[in-house]
């Protein structure tokens, strides 16, 4: 008999906590600025879960949630009844739409992983808004990676960066039979990871290679799950800037960084700025053309980028780069 009162108090306390959490989850999922819940709706939800609720307990629970930092709004409905809905959320609908579209369109994220992420993003809003967000998502029709272990690769790289440790991994490429196989007969690469960078819908590891004695990049969707080594990372080279490297090197890597001069029509200035940023010299050479002096890693990839403009962008200097470009073009012809 002596324990009856404490047990009853404990049961009441547990009941109150359960009711409070159920109310919060119910309002988050089932209400928004256009959809409200009445006291009768909430009471029915609680009773279906074996918990008693009434107008007064709901009012007190809403106050407790507001005091805890959640925004639960109350409006007056017919016959002065209260109508409740969940207010401010961490993300607005346009922001969630941007996140879902980015996940859906990314080649880097597989179909199943994309759907799992989209489902989680939808949990950040009401079921009504979620239905609108996914109404025009076509994930399964996009080109997607086949690397199902991608998130594990990213997780291991993050852990290595945080702990300052080197990693070792095998790298994969497609062979002539369109089979994904390990490169160099399964060679293990060792790398001091500095950062992961997203560029042109690809995710890259940026780190220092002891074998090549320089900073290199690897596509993360081509990596097998890396192993974290006991050895500490090689310190980042003095004066090395990750943003500067990314701005100058991506899509132009594996070549010597040089100043090159590009002769361009005025309407392609936006393309030059998109590619090289705004930090380059420019000179007007006619009413409809300009020359830009930019920093680029001169390589086949760079030459290929110039070629995409079908002669509108002309490489005019320096002479050794022009000579290499002409050689590159001749090789492209049979």
């Amino acid at each position: 008999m002596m324990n009856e009162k404490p047990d009853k108090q404990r049961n009441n306390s547990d009941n109150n906590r359960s009711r409070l959490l159920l109310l919060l989850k119910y309002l988050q999922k089932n209400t928004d600025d256009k959809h409200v819940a009445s006291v009768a709706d909430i009471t029915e939800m609680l009773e279906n879960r074996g918990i008693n609720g009434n107008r007064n307990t709901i009012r007190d629970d809403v106050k407790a949630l507001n005091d805890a930092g959640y925004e639960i709004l109350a409006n007056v409905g017919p016959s002065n009844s209260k109508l409740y809905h969940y207010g401010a959320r961490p993300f607005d609908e346009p922001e969630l739409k941007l996140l879902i579209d980015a996940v859906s369109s990314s080649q880097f994220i597989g179909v199943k992983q994309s759907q799992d992420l989209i489902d989680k993003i939808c949990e950040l809003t009401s079921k009504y808004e979620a239905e609108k967000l996914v109404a025009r998502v076509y994930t399964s029709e996009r080109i997607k990676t086949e690397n199902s272990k991608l998130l594990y690769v990213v997780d291991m790289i993050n852990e290595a960066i945080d702990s300052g440790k080197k990693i070792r991994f095998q790298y994969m490429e497609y062979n002539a039979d369109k089979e994904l196989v390990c490169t160099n007969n399964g060679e293990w690469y060792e790398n001091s990871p500095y950062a992961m960078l997203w560029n042109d819908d690809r995710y890259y590891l940026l780190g220092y290679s002891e074998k090549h004695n320089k900073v290199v990049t690897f596509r993360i969707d081509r990596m097998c799950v890396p192993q974290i080594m006991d050895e500490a990372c090689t310190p980042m080279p003095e004066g090395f800037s990750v943003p500067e490297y990314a701005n100058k090197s991506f899509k132009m890597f594996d070549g010597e960084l040089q100043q090159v001069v590009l002769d361009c029509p005025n309407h392609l200035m936006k393309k030059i700025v998109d590619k090289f940023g705004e930090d380059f010299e420019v000179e007007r050479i006619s009413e409809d053309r300009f020359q830009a002096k930019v920093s680029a890693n001169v390589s086949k990839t760079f030459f290929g980028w110039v070629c995409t403009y079908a002669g509108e962008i002309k490489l005019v200097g320096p002479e050794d780069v022009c000579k290499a470009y002409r050689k590159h073009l001749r090789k492209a012809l049979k």
Side-chain angles (χ1 to χ4, degrees):
M1 294 294 294
M2 293 180 62
N3 292 329
E4 183 176 348
K5 188 173 183 180
D7 288 344
K8 184 176 181 180
Q9 290 176 338
R10 184 161 52 249
N11 289 336
N12 288 337
S13 178
D14 292 342
N15 187 69
N16 291 339
R17 283 195 294 268
S18 297
R19 189 181 64 238
L20 197 63
L21 291 174
L22 286 171
L23 174 61
L24 175 61
K25 294 180 69 174
Y26 177 81
L27 293 175
Q28 286 176 329
K29 183 176 181 179
N30 295 278
T31 68
D32 52 42
D33 290 344
K34 297 179 180 178
H35 302 87
V36 297
S38 66
V39 172
D41 294 330
I42 298 172
T43 301
E44 180 182 4
M45 178 274 296
L46 293 173
E47 289 178 349
N48 289 337
R49 289 161 175 78
I51 296 177
N52 293 325
N54 55 53
R55 181 180 59 188
N56 293 331
T57 59
I58 292 171
R59 179 199 60 205
D60 293 342
D61 288 345
V62 167
K63 182 179 184 304
L65 290 173
N66 280 317
D67 291 343
Y70 299 98
E71 186 180 68
I72 311 299
L73 302 178
N75 298 322
V76 177
S79 304
N80 290 324
S81 61
K82 286 292 182 69
L83 301 174
Y84 298 99
H85 73 275
Y86 198 84
R89 297 177 186 267
F91 296 93
D92 294 330
E93 182 183 351
E95 294 172 329
L96 294 175
K97 184 61 177 173
L98 285 174
L99 292 174
I100 288 175
D101 286 345
V103 170
S104 174
S105 63
S106 175
Q107 295 183 28
F108 163 73
I109 308 173
V111 173
K112 184 180 184 306
Q113 293 167 331
S114 293
Q115 192 56 59
D116 289 344
L117 286 171
I118 290 171
D119 290 343
K120 291 177 181 179
I121 292 173
C122 286
E123 291 177 3
L124 298 172
T125 189
S126 71
K127 63 182 182 182
Y128 306 103
E129 295 295 343
E131 289 174 0
K132 292 193 294 182
L133 287 172
V134 300
R136 291 178 298 277
V137 174
Y138 307 103
T139 300
S140 61
E141 300 174 17
R142 306 292 182 92
I143 297 174
K144 290 285 191 177
T145 181
E146 297 299 325
N147 188 349
S148 60
K149 298 181 180 179
L150 205 56
L151 297 184
Y152 297 106
V153 176
V154 172
D155 186 51
M156 293 301 288
I157 295 174
N158 261 326
E159 185 177 341
I161 292 174
D162 290 341
S163 60
K165 300 293 186 180
K166 291 183 178 180
I167 59 174
R168 62 192 299 264
F169 56 89
Q170 292 175 303
Y171 201 61
M172 300 179 293
E173 293 286 1
Y174 283 100
N175 63 15
D177 297 317
K178 206 171 66 175
E179 298 170 332
L180 200 57
V181 297
C182 289
T183 59
N184 297 328
N185 297 316
E187 175 186 357
W188 285 85
Y189 296 83
E190 292 188 6
N191 189 276
S192 296
Y194 297 148
M196 288 183 288
L197 302 173
W198 195 303
N199 182 77
D200 196 22
D201 206 26
R202 302 293 184 192
Y203 213 10
Y204 295 88
L205 164 67
L206 177 67
Y208 191 84
S209 168
E210 299 288 351
K211 178 179 179 180
H212 298 96
N213 198 31
K214 65 177 183 179
V215 176
V216 298
T217 55
F218 287 94
R219 270 180 54 176
I220 291 178
D221 61 316
R222 294 287 184 261
M223 295 171 59
C224 297
V225 178
Q227 299 175 358
I228 299 177
M229 304 171 65
D230 294 330
E231 188 175 353
C233 280
T234 299
M236 189 177 295
E238 186 175 354
F240 181 83
S241 167
V242 172
E244 184 178 350
Y245 178 93
N247 289 335
K248 291 183 177 179
S249 299
F250 269 122
K251 298 179 73 174
M252 306 287 183
F253 44 73
D254 293 337
E256 180 185 355
L257 185 64
Q258 297 186 55
Q259 293 287 312
V260 298
V261 180
L262 303 173
D263 185 324
C264 315
N266 292 345
H267 72 91
L268 289 183
M269 175 60 82
K270 59 182 179 292
K271 299 296 184 180
I272 302 299
V273 172
D274 286 346
K275 179 59 60 182
F276 301 101
E278 299 182 5
D279 187 18
F280 61 85
E281 297 178 20
V282 62
E283 178 184 356
R284 292 294 296 269
I285 58 173
S286 70
E287 186 175 336
D288 57 356
R289 298 189 71 84
F290 66 91
Q291 285 189 352
K293 188 176 183 180
V294 301
S295 296
N297 288 71
V298 177
S299 63
K300 294 178 181 179
T301 312
F302 170 67
F303 292 151
W305 176 80
V306 177
C307 286
T308 60
Y309 293 95
E312 283 195 289
I313 294 180
K314 302 180 185 299
L315 184 56
V316 297
E319 180 54 34
D320 61 329
V321 176
C322 293
K323 183 177 179 180
Y325 183 42
R326 286 191 288 268
K327 184 178 180 181
H328 172 83
L329 293 175
R330 285 193 294 270
K331 285 184 176 181
L333 297 174
K334 187 172 180 180

